[in-house]
mmCIF file of all heavy atoms in Angstrom:
data_model
loop_
_atom_site.group_PDB
_atom_site.id
_atom_site.type_symbol
_atom_site.label_atom_id
_atom_site.label_comp_id
_atom_site.label_asym_id
_atom_site.label_seq_id
_atom_site.Cartn_x
_atom_site.Cartn_y
_atom_site.Cartn_z
ATOM 1 N N SER A 145 51.840 63.320 43.241
ATOM 2 C CA SER A 145 51.266 63.208 44.585
ATOM 3 C C SER A 145 49.881 63.829 44.580
ATOM 4 O O SER A 145 49.529 64.606 43.682
ATOM 5 C CB SER A 145 52.161 63.868 45.625
ATOM 6 O OG SER A 145 52.317 65.223 45.322
ATOM 7 N N LEU A 146 49.076 63.423 45.561
ATOM 8 C CA LEU A 146 47.750 64.005 45.698
ATOM 9 C C LEU A 146 47.444 64.173 47.185
ATOM 10 O O LEU A 146 48.155 63.636 48.032
ATOM 11 C CB LEU A 146 46.703 63.158 44.974
ATOM 12 C CG LEU A 146 46.742 61.649 45.135
ATOM 13 C CD1 LEU A 146 45.851 61.253 46.290
ATOM 14 C CD2 LEU A 146 46.278 60.975 43.864
ATOM 15 N N THR A 147 46.394 64.931 47.475
ATOM 16 C CA THR A 147 46.051 65.209 48.866
ATOM 17 C C THR A 147 44.704 64.577 49.181
ATOM 18 O O THR A 147 43.760 64.692 48.400
ATOM 19 C CB THR A 147 45.964 66.735 49.085
ATOM 20 O OG1 THR A 147 47.212 67.313 48.690
ATOM 21 C CG2 THR A 147 45.716 67.071 50.549
ATOM 22 N N ALA A 148 44.648 63.895 50.323
ATOM 23 C CA ALA A 148 43.362 63.342 50.780
ATOM 24 C C ALA A 148 43.430 63.215 52.289
ATOM 25 O O ALA A 148 44.471 62.839 52.847
ATOM 26 C CB ALA A 148 43.101 61.972 50.151
ATOM 27 N N GLY A 149 42.335 63.556 52.942
ATOM 28 C CA GLY A 149 42.295 63.491 54.396
ATOM 29 C C GLY A 149 43.264 64.461 55.049
ATOM 30 O O GLY A 149 43.684 64.264 56.189
ATOM 31 N N GLY A 150 43.646 65.488 54.310
ATOM 32 C CA GLY A 150 44.595 66.455 54.848
ATOM 33 C C GLY A 150 46.044 65.999 54.757
ATOM 34 O O GLY A 150 46.959 66.678 55.220
ATOM 35 N N TYR A 151 46.272 64.842 54.172
ATOM 36 C CA TYR A 151 47.639 64.327 54.037
ATOM 37 C C TYR A 151 48.043 64.274 52.577
ATOM 38 O O TYR A 151 47.195 64.110 51.694
ATOM 39 C CB TYR A 151 47.756 62.911 54.618
ATOM 40 C CG TYR A 151 47.421 62.848 56.084
ATOM 41 C CD1 TYR A 151 46.300 62.162 56.534
ATOM 42 C CD2 TYR A 151 48.235 63.489 57.026
ATOM 43 C CE1 TYR A 151 45.992 62.107 57.883
ATOM 44 C CE2 TYR A 151 47.923 63.450 58.370
ATOM 45 C CZ TYR A 151 46.800 62.754 58.796
ATOM 46 O OH TYR A 151 46.497 62.712 60.120
ATOM 47 N N LYS A 152 49.338 64.358 52.393
ATOM 48 C CA LYS A 152 49.884 64.199 51.051
ATOM 49 C C LYS A 152 50.137 62.708 50.811
ATOM 50 O O LYS A 152 50.655 62.014 51.691
ATOM 51 C CB LYS A 152 51.185 64.991 50.960
ATOM 52 C CG LYS A 152 51.766 65.059 49.573
ATOM 53 C CD LYS A 152 52.973 65.997 49.560
ATOM 54 C CE LYS A 152 53.853 65.646 48.378
ATOM 55 N NZ LYS A 152 55.145 66.310 48.444
ATOM 56 N N TRP A 153 49.767 62.222 49.645
ATOM 57 C CA TRP A 153 49.971 60.821 49.266
ATOM 58 C C TRP A 153 50.829 60.782 48.003
ATOM 59 O O TRP A 153 50.488 61.415 47.000
ATOM 60 C CB TRP A 153 48.635 60.129 48.994
ATOM 61 C CG TRP A 153 47.744 60.082 50.195
ATOM 62 C CD1 TRP A 153 46.919 61.073 50.630
ATOM 63 C CD2 TRP A 153 47.599 59.002 51.121
ATOM 64 N NE1 TRP A 153 46.269 60.673 51.771
ATOM 65 C CE2 TRP A 153 46.657 59.402 52.098
ATOM 66 C CE3 TRP A 153 48.162 57.719 51.226
ATOM 67 C CZ2 TRP A 153 46.275 58.582 53.155
ATOM 68 C CZ3 TRP A 153 47.769 56.903 52.270
ATOM 69 C CH2 TRP A 153 46.847 57.327 53.227
ATOM 70 N N GLN A 154 51.882 60.003 48.088
ATOM 71 C CA GLN A 154 52.794 59.854 46.956
ATOM 72 C C GLN A 154 52.307 58.682 46.097
ATOM 73 O O GLN A 154 51.984 57.611 46.628
ATOM 74 C CB GLN A 154 54.178 59.582 47.538
ATOM 75 C CG GLN A 154 55.265 59.349 46.530
ATOM 76 C CD GLN A 154 56.510 58.763 47.208
ATOM 77 O OE1 GLN A 154 56.634 58.791 48.447
ATOM 78 N NE2 GLN A 154 57.401 58.216 46.403
ATOM 79 N N VAL A 155 52.234 58.890 44.791
ATOM 80 C CA VAL A 155 51.808 57.820 43.873
ATOM 81 C C VAL A 155 53.013 56.950 43.523
ATOM 82 O O VAL A 155 54.033 57.441 43.032
ATOM 83 C CB VAL A 155 51.200 58.419 42.584
ATOM 84 C CG1 VAL A 155 50.890 57.316 41.567
ATOM 85 C CG2 VAL A 155 49.947 59.241 42.901
ATOM 86 N N ILE A 156 52.886 55.659 43.826
ATOM 87 C CA ILE A 156 53.910 54.680 43.446
ATOM 88 C C ILE A 156 53.195 53.660 42.566
ATOM 89 O O ILE A 156 52.176 53.118 42.978
ATOM 90 C CB ILE A 156 54.486 53.961 44.687
ATOM 91 C CG1 ILE A 156 55.058 54.977 45.690
ATOM 92 C CG2 ILE A 156 55.554 52.946 44.284
ATOM 93 C CD1 ILE A 156 55.458 54.375 47.037
ATOM 94 N N THR A 157 53.669 53.440 41.353
ATOM 95 C CA THR A 157 52.977 52.464 40.498
ATOM 96 C C THR A 157 53.814 51.198 40.370
ATOM 97 O O THR A 157 55.029 51.205 40.565
ATOM 98 C CB THR A 157 52.699 53.035 39.093
ATOM 99 O OG1 THR A 157 53.941 53.370 38.482
ATOM 100 C CG2 THR A 157 51.809 54.259 39.163
ATOM 101 N N GLY A 158 53.118 50.122 40.057
ATOM 102 C CA GLY A 158 53.813 48.845 39.879
ATOM 103 C C GLY A 158 53.119 48.011 38.817
ATOM 104 O O GLY A 158 51.888 48.026 38.700
ATOM 105 N N GLY A 159 53.900 47.286 38.024
ATOM 106 C CA GLY A 159 53.344 46.404 37.005
ATOM 107 C C GLY A 159 53.293 44.965 37.496
ATOM 108 O O GLY A 159 53.606 44.664 38.635
ATOM 109 N N GLY A 160 52.890 44.069 36.580
ATOM 110 C CA GLY A 160 52.906 42.638 36.886
ATOM 111 C C GLY A 160 51.526 42.085 37.154
ATOM 112 O O GLY A 160 51.047 41.212 36.433
ATOM 113 N N HIS A 161 50.864 42.582 38.178
ATOM 114 C CA HIS A 161 49.484 42.144 38.449
ATOM 115 C C HIS A 161 48.528 42.854 37.479
ATOM 116 O O HIS A 161 47.535 42.279 37.032
ATOM 117 C CB HIS A 161 49.134 42.455 39.899
ATOM 118 C CG HIS A 161 47.709 42.164 40.246
ATOM 119 N ND1 HIS A 161 47.220 40.883 40.362
ATOM 120 C CD2 HIS A 161 46.653 42.996 40.467
ATOM 121 C CE1 HIS A 161 45.924 40.940 40.653
ATOM 122 N NE2 HIS A 161 45.553 42.200 40.724
ATOM 123 N N ALA A 162 48.813 44.087 37.222
ATOM 124 C CA ALA A 162 48.073 44.922 36.273
ATOM 125 C C ALA A 162 49.138 45.854 35.688
ATOM 126 O O ALA A 162 50.217 45.975 36.257
ATOM 127 C CB ALA A 162 46.971 45.689 36.986
ATOM 128 N N PRO A 163 48.855 46.506 34.544
ATOM 129 C CA PRO A 163 49.974 47.189 33.867
ATOM 130 C C PRO A 163 50.593 48.375 34.617
ATOM 131 O O PRO A 163 51.802 48.573 34.554
ATOM 132 C CB PRO A 163 49.363 47.639 32.540
ATOM 133 C CG PRO A 163 47.892 47.522 32.682
ATOM 134 C CD PRO A 163 47.629 46.479 33.728
ATOM 135 N N GLU A 164 49.782 49.153 35.306
ATOM 136 C CA GLU A 164 50.324 50.359 35.963
ATOM 137 C C GLU A 164 49.488 50.647 37.210
ATOM 138 O O GLU A 164 48.857 51.694 37.342
ATOM 139 C CB GLU A 164 50.256 51.564 34.985
ATOM 140 C CG GLU A 164 51.066 52.777 35.407
ATOM 141 C CD GLU A 164 50.843 53.977 34.471
ATOM 142 O OE1 GLU A 164 50.023 53.902 33.538
ATOM 143 O OE2 GLU A 164 51.491 55.024 34.711
ATOM 144 N N GLN A 165 49.512 49.673 38.111
ATOM 145 C CA GLN A 165 48.658 49.758 39.295
ATOM 146 C C GLN A 165 49.121 50.886 40.220
ATOM 147 O O GLN A 165 50.314 51.033 40.482
ATOM 148 C CB GLN A 165 48.693 48.426 40.041
ATOM 149 C CG GLN A 165 47.847 48.421 41.288
ATOM 150 C CD GLN A 165 47.614 47.030 41.858
ATOM 151 O OE1 GLN A 165 46.590 46.781 42.466
ATOM 152 N NE2 GLN A 165 48.544 46.125 41.667
ATOM 153 N N ILE A 166 48.145 51.654 40.720
ATOM 154 C CA ILE A 166 48.467 52.758 41.629
ATOM 155 C C ILE A 166 48.498 52.254 43.067
ATOM 156 O O ILE A 166 47.546 51.602 43.528
ATOM 157 C CB ILE A 166 47.408 53.884 41.523
ATOM 158 C CG1 ILE A 166 47.426 54.512 40.129
ATOM 159 C CG2 ILE A 166 47.632 54.944 42.595
ATOM 160 C CD1 ILE A 166 46.294 55.525 39.907
ATOM 161 N N THR A 167 49.580 52.553 43.778
ATOM 162 C CA THR A 167 49.603 52.412 45.227
ATOM 163 C C THR A 167 49.931 53.795 45.781
ATOM 164 O O THR A 167 50.462 54.650 45.063
ATOM 165 C CB THR A 167 50.631 51.358 45.703
ATOM 166 O OG1 THR A 167 51.964 51.789 45.370
ATOM 167 C CG2 THR A 167 50.389 50.006 45.032
ATOM 168 N N LEU A 168 49.568 54.047 47.051
ATOM 169 C CA LEU A 168 49.699 55.390 47.627
ATOM 170 C C LEU A 168 50.411 55.310 48.957
ATOM 171 O O LEU A 168 50.036 54.501 49.818
ATOM 172 C CB LEU A 168 48.302 55.999 47.856
ATOM 173 C CG LEU A 168 47.414 56.241 46.638
ATOM 174 C CD1 LEU A 168 45.991 56.591 47.095
ATOM 175 C CD2 LEU A 168 47.990 57.349 45.763
ATOM 176 N N TYR A 169 51.397 56.179 49.141
ATOM 177 C CA TYR A 169 52.098 56.203 50.433
ATOM 178 C C TYR A 169 52.021 57.594 51.034
ATOM 179 O O TYR A 169 52.321 58.586 50.378
ATOM 180 C CB TYR A 169 53.571 55.808 50.257
ATOM 181 C CG TYR A 169 54.315 55.888 51.574
ATOM 182 C CD1 TYR A 169 54.030 54.990 52.603
ATOM 183 C CD2 TYR A 169 55.269 56.888 51.803
ATOM 184 C CE1 TYR A 169 54.680 55.080 53.832
ATOM 185 C CE2 TYR A 169 55.917 56.974 53.021
ATOM 186 C CZ TYR A 169 55.620 56.065 54.039
ATOM 187 O OH TYR A 169 56.251 56.152 55.244
ATOM 188 N N SER A 170 51.601 57.655 52.304
ATOM 189 C CA SER A 170 51.614 58.915 53.030
ATOM 190 C C SER A 170 52.687 58.867 54.115
ATOM 191 O O SER A 170 52.591 58.069 55.063
ATOM 192 C CB SER A 170 50.254 59.191 53.678
ATOM 193 O OG SER A 170 50.378 60.326 54.516
ATOM 194 N N GLU A 171 53.684 59.709 53.941
ATOM 195 C CA GLU A 171 54.789 59.739 54.910
ATOM 196 C C GLU A 171 54.288 60.246 56.271
ATOM 197 O O GLU A 171 54.710 59.753 57.317
ATOM 198 C CB GLU A 171 55.887 60.662 54.376
ATOM 199 C CG GLU A 171 57.174 60.570 55.165
ATOM 200 C CD GLU A 171 58.296 61.440 54.579
ATOM 201 O OE1 GLU A 171 58.076 62.108 53.540
ATOM 202 O OE2 GLU A 171 59.370 61.435 55.186
ATOM 203 N N ALA A 172 53.350 61.197 56.253
ATOM 204 C CA ALA A 172 52.885 61.811 57.499
ATOM 205 C C ALA A 172 52.304 60.782 58.460
ATOM 206 O O ALA A 172 52.482 60.877 59.674
ATOM 207 C CB ALA A 172 51.851 62.895 57.186
ATOM 208 N N ILE A 173 51.608 59.792 57.926
ATOM 209 C CA ILE A 173 51.004 58.781 58.803
ATOM 210 C C ILE A 173 51.617 57.395 58.579
ATOM 211 O O ILE A 173 51.182 56.411 59.178
ATOM 212 C CB ILE A 173 49.458 58.723 58.623
ATOM 213 C CG1 ILE A 173 49.077 58.630 57.149
ATOM 214 C CG2 ILE A 173 48.801 59.944 59.269
ATOM 215 C CD1 ILE A 173 47.575 58.441 56.903
ATOM 216 N N ASN A 174 52.638 57.322 57.719
ATOM 217 C CA ASN A 174 53.369 56.082 57.465
ATOM 218 C C ASN A 174 52.425 54.942 57.045
ATOM 219 O O ASN A 174 52.472 53.836 57.595
ATOM 220 C CB ASN A 174 54.199 55.686 58.695
ATOM 221 C CG ASN A 174 55.283 54.666 58.354
ATOM 222 O OD1 ASN A 174 55.686 54.525 57.192
ATOM 223 N ND2 ASN A 174 55.743 53.938 59.367
ATOM 224 N N VAL A 175 51.562 55.248 56.100
ATOM 225 C CA VAL A 175 50.584 54.268 55.607
ATOM 226 C C VAL A 175 50.777 54.063 54.105
ATOM 227 O O VAL A 175 50.910 55.036 53.354
ATOM 228 C CB VAL A 175 49.136 54.751 55.884
ATOM 229 C CG1 VAL A 175 48.118 53.915 55.103
ATOM 230 C CG2 VAL A 175 48.826 54.692 57.385
ATOM 231 N N LEU A 176 50.804 52.799 53.708
ATOM 232 C CA LEU A 176 50.872 52.447 52.289
ATOM 233 C C LEU A 176 49.565 51.762 51.880
ATOM 234 O O LEU A 176 49.226 50.707 52.426
ATOM 235 C CB LEU A 176 52.047 51.482 52.031
ATOM 236 C CG LEU A 176 52.136 50.901 50.609
ATOM 237 C CD1 LEU A 176 52.475 51.979 49.585
ATOM 238 C CD2 LEU A 176 53.157 49.762 50.553
ATOM 239 N N ILE A 177 48.834 52.366 50.962
ATOM 240 C CA ILE A 177 47.675 51.691 50.362
ATOM 241 C C ILE A 177 48.238 50.874 49.204
ATOM 242 O O ILE A 177 48.661 51.421 48.186
ATOM 243 C CB ILE A 177 46.625 52.717 49.892
ATOM 244 C CG1 ILE A 177 46.061 53.457 51.122
ATOM 245 C CG2 ILE A 177 45.499 52.017 49.115
ATOM 246 C CD1 ILE A 177 45.042 54.528 50.795
ATOM 247 N N ALA A 178 48.293 49.553 49.404
ATOM 248 C CA ALA A 178 49.084 48.703 48.505
ATOM 249 C C ALA A 178 48.267 48.080 47.384
ATOM 250 O O ALA A 178 48.824 47.397 46.521
ATOM 251 C CB ALA A 178 49.776 47.613 49.313
ATOM 252 N N ALA A 179 46.933 48.265 47.422
ATOM 253 C CA ALA A 179 46.053 47.656 46.419
ATOM 254 C C ALA A 179 46.346 46.158 46.309
ATOM 255 O O ALA A 179 46.506 45.486 47.336
ATOM 256 C CB ALA A 179 46.169 48.396 45.086
ATOM 257 N N ASP A 180 46.432 45.626 45.084
ATOM 258 C CA ASP A 180 46.735 44.201 44.930
ATOM 259 C C ASP A 180 48.228 43.949 44.711
ATOM 260 O O ASP A 180 48.627 42.816 44.474
ATOM 261 C CB ASP A 180 45.980 43.626 43.713
ATOM 262 C CG ASP A 180 44.522 43.339 44.023
ATOM 263 O OD1 ASP A 180 44.125 43.433 45.198
ATOM 264 O OD2 ASP A 180 43.777 43.009 43.071
ATOM 265 N N GLN A 181 49.039 45.001 44.760
ATOM 266 C CA GLN A 181 50.463 44.813 44.462
ATOM 267 C C GLN A 181 51.162 43.998 45.557
ATOM 268 O O GLN A 181 52.002 43.162 45.269
ATOM 269 C CB GLN A 181 51.148 46.178 44.280
ATOM 270 C CG GLN A 181 52.505 46.124 43.585
ATOM 271 C CD GLN A 181 52.401 45.791 42.089
ATOM 272 O OE1 GLN A 181 51.325 45.734 41.528
ATOM 273 N NE2 GLN A 181 53.528 45.546 41.452
ATOM 274 N N ILE A 182 50.770 44.259 46.817
ATOM 275 C CA ILE A 182 51.391 43.548 47.943
ATOM 276 C C ILE A 182 50.262 43.064 48.853
ATOM 277 O O ILE A 182 49.583 43.872 49.488
ATOM 278 C CB ILE A 182 52.333 44.469 48.735
ATOM 279 C CG1 ILE A 182 53.331 45.162 47.791
ATOM 280 C CG2 ILE A 182 53.086 43.683 49.805
ATOM 281 C CD1 ILE A 182 53.981 46.392 48.389
#
Side-chain angles (χ1 to χ4, degrees):
S145 60
L146 44 92
T147 304
Y151 300 114
K152 187 174 158 191
W153 298 83
Q154 178 194 346
V155 174
I156 303 171
T157 60
H161 175 72
E164 194 186 3
Q165 180 167 210
I166 296 173
T167 64
L168 297 169
Y169 178 68
S170 172
E171 191 177 359
I173 49 175
N174 197 21
V175 167
L176 173 68
I177 295 178
D180 281 352
Q181 197 71 8
I182 308 161

